[in-house]
Amino acid sequence: MTMYQAYELKDKLTQEETALPLGARARSKELNRLKILASAKALFRERGYEAATLRDIAREAGLSTGAVFANFADKNEIFVKVVEEETARVITTAIDAHDTTRPLADRLHHQLLAAYEAAEGNARLILSAFVMNWSGQTADPETNTGLAEIASLTDMTRQVILETLRHAQSEGELPAKADIAHGAEIIEDLAFSNLRRAHRDSEPFVSMGERLRFQIELIVSGLKAA
């Protein structure tokens, strides 16, 4: 998924929520699909991928497991869809938060905080996806599908950061020789390690934000000194 595709998906999701098929049978099937995704998202964010079962997802949606299988092949397919939707929402929020009136370090911090706020409450869901990504595990090991969708949240976060650094470089805020590609990788790693740490330690959002600000300022200072 590219950043442009993230906006396309976000628009598509909005349309799906407001425009259902006209036929009664098609409308019922689409309503069930939306119920399943809402139920799955709630359970994945509460329990993580492994602990949320198809039976639980069906019960939370007020449907039978048969109705779930009529819409999705398995839990893996549901999880990939939920992660894809979450990725589009978080990434477009971060892109929209780009503010050229702010100094570079503050600009990056503002973008990542906006992404954190968009993902607030979904840490367990996101971390489940990261574990699959970091371990090289696919959502569906039999068909080898899902890893690309799961990896796209981290990849696209890095791309958003890189685009902000490129813009800063083009405006003379960073020297031309600054290694912005590695800078983006480091900031991406810090962003997700902070999320993991905050979830593990039940850390207040403000504390995480302040630590991230300090870390970003260090990286930007290093890039400026290149």
Side-chain angles (χ1 to χ4, degrees):
M1 187 193 298
T2 64
M3 288 191 287
Y4 175 73
Q5 288 170 327
Y7 274 105
E8 282 190 324
L9 178 57
K10 186 180 180 183
D11 290 341
K12 179 174 178 287
L13 295 176
T14 301
Q15 292 168 9
E16 286 178 352
E17 291 174 354
T18 56
L20 293 172
L22 294 178
R25 186 169 182 177
R27 179 185 292 271
S28 176
K29 183 176 175 64
E30 184 63 15
L31 281 171
N32 284 347
R33 178 180 167 279
L34 294 175
K35 286 179 183 178
I36 292 164
L37 288 173
S39 167
K41 183 175 181 179
L43 289 171
F44 288 145
R45 70 189 292 184
E46 176 188 341
R47 307 178 187 178
Y49 174 78
E50 293 295 338
T53 68
L54 273 176
R55 183 174 296 178
D56 292 335
I57 291 171
R59 182 168 54 245
E60 186 75 13
L63 301 169
S64 66
T65 53
V68 173
F69 283 119
N71 287 274
F72 298 96
D74 52 28
K75 185 174 75 168
N76 299 317
E77 184 182 351
I78 299 172
F79 184 71
V80 168
K81 181 65 175 176
V82 169
V83 170
E84 186 181 47
E85 292 181 0
E86 184 68 7
T87 295
R89 193 172 63 83
V90 172
I91 292 302
T92 53
T93 298
I95 295 170
D96 292 342
H98 184 257
D99 182 357
T100 56
T101 66
R102 296 171 179 264
L104 178 55
D106 187 46
R107 193 182 316 156
L108 287 162
H109 181 256
H110 178 67
Q111 285 184 276
L112 290 175
L113 277 191
Y116 279 151
E117 289 172 355
E120 191 173 6
N122 291 332
R124 192 181 296 276
L125 184 159
I126 293 171
L127 292 173
S128 291
F130 291 164
V131 168
M132 290 182 177
N133 185 27
W134 294 330
S135 66
Q137 176 186 349
T138 61
D140 187 347
E142 292 186 2
T143 60
N144 199 36
T145 59
L147 187 58
E149 291 85 350
I150 289 170
S152 56
L153 180 55
T154 53
D155 293 343
M156 290 176 65
T157 299
R158 182 171 64 254
Q159 188 63 32
V160 170
I161 296 166
L162 182 58
E163 288 301 319
T164 297
L165 293 176
R166 279 182 180 146
H167 179 270
Q169 202 170 47
S170 70
E171 294 296 314
E173 295 177 89
L174 293 174
K177 62 181 180 179
D179 189 349
I180 59 174
H182 281 103
E185 287 182 8
I186 294 169
I187 295 172
E188 174 216 336
D189 288 342
L190 289 171
F192 290 119
S193 66
N194 279 314
L195 179 65
R196 185 173 64 249
R197 178 176 176 180
H199 176 70
R200 182 195 65 199
D201 300 339
S202 299
E203 182 182 32
F205 185 80
V206 173
S207 299
M208 179 180 67
E210 287 306 309
R211 183 172 62 251
L212 180 64
R213 180 187 296 278
F214 175 73
Q215 292 166 336
I216 290 174
E217 287 173 349
L218 283 178
I219 303 305
V220 170
S221 294
L223 291 172
K224 287 182 175 179

